[in-house]
Amino acid sequence: MRRVSKEVSGMSADMARDVVERLRGVFRSGRTKGLAWRREQLRGLRTLLTEREAELADALRADLGKGAVESYASELGFVVNEIDHALRHLERWTRPERVAVPRSLMPARARTVREPLGVVLVISPWNYPVMLALAPMVGALAAGNCVVLKPSELAPATSSALARLLPSHLDDQAVTVVEGAVEETSALLEQRFDHVFYTGNGHVGRVVMRAAAEHLTPVTLELGGKSPALVESGVDLAATARRLAWGKFFNAGQSCTAPDYVLAVGDGTADDLERHLADAIRAMYGDDPSRSPDYGRIVNERHFDRLTALLGSGRVVTGGGHDRASRYIAPTVLGDVKADAPVMAEEIFGPILPVLRVPDLDAALDFVNERDKPLALYAFTGDPASRRRVLIETSSGAVGFGLPNAHLTVPGLPFGGVGESGMGAYHGHRSFETFSHAKAVLDKPLSPDTMRVVYPPFTALKERLVRAFT
């Protein structure tokens, strides 16, 4: 098989087992453990992203209506930056780390050695079908693993492009792409992997975790949730609105870290913010966003129908227009939204931004803490005391002051959730750590004299214990 294998629809459990066992044999041969192999894979992946950028961008446009700028900024360029960061630091990441040894064990040396886990499974979603497939793979390959990649069937053009383009750029004996839907994913989850990395929703996350538990396989779950944005009075509301609109309506709102709703704190804040949000959307996408090359589309009709059913959850401040044939929903802001409105029942994952009014920061923090821990929390405030309270009195995967989504682009920051929004983290060094094991190593010279220090005669030890406890 001289290409990354593409396992098509109808995969049985036996077929999945054969795939995993084939990769396990490659891993056991040791070919993936050397630094040269790891660098070669990372450089090959980088070449794919740069030389085949146009093909991948076409696939992203077909699946999600993404423009070229958005595709590069949030998908292709993002992964290139992850690769460059890994290549710069890979040698340092793989060095053994010395650890202090207690005096009672001296002379001796201790260290931790990072080793690859083995064969890992990456299950990626549809909303960022290149980035969320390949960014975890960067960490898996950097750590020296064999990889099974399962792209999302809901982004079929991108899934097909990855399966078609990966073969000529990666080690075809160590990386396998499995296309398909629930049947193929279920067959894979029956197998024993050394790590399962899943990005998606909490319902499927529970399915993944139950399947992994059968083999005691560790998992990383990158989920989502309703990420709030707190806006206090006194801040620059025009700038706040521009940043909220960018963070929310990027990828037509189909981002797990997008601001899901706004808590406008204090009298008058909501009215002024709503006006500025309408202006910001017009400045970004024009009077008719359906004609903007920078505004995306909803992934399919099922999600379109779910989202349009939420448009009646409040007063339409701006937007509200939609067309099922083209899967277009205008960037929409809803005002006067109540806490029990349908749009507040679950993660929106679309271009609808509810604005809720709260009297003060106490009420805003209570509102957040009464709900599941979000993947991210954003706060727009000029008060240092408010910033401290947000950090100390809430729990979330990340906190962004003054700008949504951008924490994803900092390689040194871990990206992951907490509670219902996920477990585990990746990006940069955290990706390498996620897909490797820190093995403890103690090196004690063989010497009778030193052995007596560590292991005194049993009778002397017994006498010492008796004196200690009587």
Side-chain angles (χ1 to χ4, degrees):
M1 187 181 305
R2 294 310 304 160
R3 64 187 187 89
V4 176
S5 58
K6 175 185 172 183
E7 312 295 339
V8 295
S9 298
M11 168 177 274
S12 66
D14 288 342
M15 294 169 62
R17 183 169 56 251
D18 290 344
V19 169
V20 175
E21 287 306 311
R22 184 175 72 242
L23 294 184
R24 199 170 297 286
V26 172
F27 178 75
R28 287 172 178 161
S29 74
R31 70 190 288 175
T32 69
K33 294 183 179 180
L35 274 178
W37 183 90
R38 304 183 197 194
R39 290 192 180 106
E40 182 182 1
Q41 305 316 303
L42 294 175
R43 289 170 180 147
L45 198 57
R46 192 185 196 284
T47 299
L48 182 156
L49 291 163
T50 54
E51 293 185 355
R52 302 299 186 96
E53 178 182 333
E55 293 174 66
L56 291 169
D58 287 345
L60 290 167
R61 179 176 291 278
D63 287 329
L64 291 157
K66 291 192 179 188
V69 173
E70 184 174 308
S71 291
Y72 183 81
S74 64
E75 303 248 22
L76 310 179
F78 185 98
V79 181
V80 168
N81 289 337
E82 279 284 302
I83 293 170
D84 290 344
H85 183 80
L87 285 170
R88 280 195 302 271
H89 298 284
L90 185 58
E91 185 173 358
R92 178 171 60 83
W93 291 348
T94 57
R95 289 176 192 158
E97 295 184 16
R98 294 186 62 180
V99 177
V101 177
R103 291 184 60 185
S104 61
L105 286 176
M106 295 299 288
R109 291 178 298 174
R111 64 190 185 279
T112 58
V113 176
R114 282 281 171 181
E115 63 180 14
L117 297 175
V119 181
V120 304
L121 172 63
V122 176
I123 305 174
S124 61
W126 53 263
N127 59 322
Y128 290 92
V130 172
M131 186 264 282
L132 294 176
L134 300 186
M137 186 183 286
V138 170
L141 294 173
N145 297 283
C146 292
V147 182
V148 176
L149 172 64
K150 170 59 183 67
S152 174
E153 71 279 9
L154 299 182
T158 307
S159 176
S160 177
L162 291 174
R164 185 179 71 253
L165 297 176
L166 282 170
S168 59
H169 295 82
L170 297 180
D171 184 342
D172 55 356
Q173 300 299 307
V175 178
T176 293
V177 179
V178 175
E179 289 196 274
V182 175
E183 181 180 355
E184 290 71 28
T185 303
S186 299
L188 287 171
L189 287 173
E190 290 182 25
Q191 313 311 310
R192 182 180 68 83
F193 287 92
D194 298 289
H195 195 94
V196 176
F197 190 105
Y198 168 76
T199 305
N201 62 64
H203 172 72
V204 179
R206 286 172 167 81
V207 174
V208 170
M209 197 166 183
R210 281 194 293 268
E214 290 296 316
H215 303 285
L216 295 181
T217 298
V219 298
T220 300
L221 300 180
E222 295 295 343
L223 308 177
K226 297 183 75 64
S227 296
L230 281 61
V231 179
E232 282 199 309
S233 60
V235 299
D236 185 336
L237 290 179
T240 296
R242 288 193 295 270
R243 296 184 183 187
L244 281 173
W246 171 80
K248 176 62 179 181
F249 301 112
F250 195 87
N251 197 30
Q254 298 166 118
S255 303
C256 59
T257 56
D260 196 83
Y261 62 93
V262 175
L263 295 176
V265 181
D267 293 337
T269 304
D271 296 330
D272 292 341
L273 181 63
E274 288 170 6
R275 184 177 68 256
H276 286 299
L277 282 168
D279 293 341
I281 292 169
R282 191 178 307 109
M284 289 173 62
Y285 301 116
D287 292 330
D288 183 2
S290 69
R291 301 173 64 88
S292 171
D294 298 318
Y295 186 67
R297 296 298 183 267
I298 306 306
V299 66
N300 57 33
E301 288 79 5
R302 180 170 65 87
H303 283 281
F304 176 92
D305 293 339
R306 177 184 63 82
L307 289 166
T308 53
L310 301 177
L311 292 173
S313 295
R315 170 178 50 85
V316 175
V317 174
T318 186
H322 52 276
D323 177 59
R324 195 172 192 271
S326 60
R327 295 178 282 124
Y328 166 76
I329 299 178
T332 300
V333 177
L334 298 180
D336 299 329
V337 176
K338 304 301 182 184
D340 59 353
V343 76
M344 295 301 296
E346 60 182 9
E347 184 178 8
I348 298 169
F349 222 70
I352 303 170
L353 183 63
V355 178
L356 292 81
R357 302 166 187 258
V358 290
D360 50 37
L361 185 60
D362 288 337
L365 297 179
D366 287 343
F367 191 96
V368 172
N369 290 328
E370 287 166 359
R371 288 154 177 81
D372 292 331
K373 297 178 180 181
L375 185 57
L377 186 154
Y378 306 112
F380 296 82
T381 175
D383 186 354
S386 295
R387 294 162 64 97
R388 285 194 299 271
R389 290 194 63 191
V390 168
L391 279 177
I392 294 170
E393 297 180 28
T394 65
S395 178
S396 57
V399 171
F401 289 112
L403 185 63
N405 298 349
H407 60 283
L408 279 75
T409 66
V410 182
L413 287 177
F415 175 71
V418 57
E420 285 288 320
S421 57
M423 62 177 65
Y426 73 121
H427 289 182
H429 190 214
R430 294 315 199 290
S431 293
F432 180 82
E433 291 180 328
T434 291
F435 290 104
S436 63
H437 166 63
K439 179 162 48 179
V441 180
L442 177 68
D443 188 353
K444 174 71 176 174
L446 287 173
S447 167
D449 293 333
T450 58
M451 289 295 289
R452 282 200 298 269
V453 173
V454 180
Y455 300 108
F458 176 75
T459 54
L461 178 61
K462 180 180 178 181
E463 292 174 359
R464 189 180 307 165
L465 291 173
V466 169
R467 288 196 301 271
F469 291 100
T470 57

